[in-house]
Amino acid sequence: MALSKLDSLYMAVVTEHSKSPRHKGKLDGVEALQLHNPTCGDVIELSLKLEKGIITDIAFDGIGCTISTASASMMTEAVLGKSIHQARELADTFSSLVQGQEVNEQEQLGDAFLLAGVAKFPQRIKCATLSWNALKKALDRQAEQGE
Ligand code: FES
């Protein structure tokens, strides 16, 4: 059966982000937050910098599948320049999206919105949300440290 246009777009964008991930690496002077996907053991390391409550730099590293790598790349693009509050809201929106719920702020998610189809594959939801969960934990840690 031929792929629909949306499925083709989804596959092309996910593949492109996975092969050429944005903001891949580590940030100097920032202790990366590590988070494992308990179902496969893959790990993401997320570093971010905040200035006056705005995410001014972000990078990820680690080992993950195509979906987790693409999702991390999309997440970094979506939250760079956003406030802590906006980034947390986007993380919650993304989590709802990949669980098949209707969401309002589609355009704010950027390419990450294309991962809505993951809802059809429950075993991949943890892949898609790994980086977003790491984001929330990294923001929590920054808050504890008084940023
Ligand atoms: Fe490990 Fe997707 S299979 S993050």
Side-chain angles (χ1 to χ4, degrees):
M1 184 175 22
L3 288 172
S4 71
K5 276 188 179 172
L6 190 61
D7 285 342
S8 299
L9 177 64
Y10 159 79
M11 292 202 39
V13 175
V14 167
T15 301
E16 199 276 326
H17 272 275
S18 175
K19 287 189 172 166
S20 304
R22 322 301 193 261
H23 308 286
K24 185 91 166 43
K26 293 183 167 71
L27 298 182
D28 287 342
V30 176
E31 184 189 348
L33 181 131
Q34 275 197 358
L35 191 66
H36 290 83
N37 180 342
T39 59
C40 65
D42 287 340
V43 62
I44 184 171
E45 296 181 1
L46 186 70
S47 319
L48 59 82
K49 287 185 180 173
L50 292 170
E51 283 177 33
K52 296 181 180 164
I54 303 292
I55 298 173
T56 56
D57 208 353
I58 189 165
F60 77 98
D61 213 344
I63 299 165
C65 63
T66 299
I67 288 177
S68 71
T69 301
S71 183
S73 173
M74 294 166 172
M75 180 277 289
T76 59
E77 284 200 314
V79 303
L80 184 61
K82 297 287 193 302
S83 71
I84 293 171
H85 178 70
Q86 289 170 322
R88 285 187 195 281
E89 282 196 343
L90 282 178
D92 289 341
T93 299
F94 183 79
S95 179
S96 298
L97 177 76
V98 295
Q99 291 178 67
Q101 298 168 18
E102 291 280 324
V103 300
N104 294 322
E105 301 109 5
Q106 297 179 9
E107 65 285 348
Q108 296 285 333
L109 286 171
D111 286 351
F113 182 72
L114 289 168
L115 289 175
V118 167
K120 289 185 241 162
F121 306 96
Q123 71 277 19
R124 306 313 299 272
I125 292 173
K126 283 197 168 87
C127 304
T129 55
L130 182 63
S131 59
W132 290 90
N133 290 336
L135 170 71
K136 288 202 272 192
K137 286 187 180 294
L139 292 173
D140 288 346
R141 187 178 70 182
Q142 295 262 4
E144 286 167 11
Q145 293 172 350
E147 160 54 35

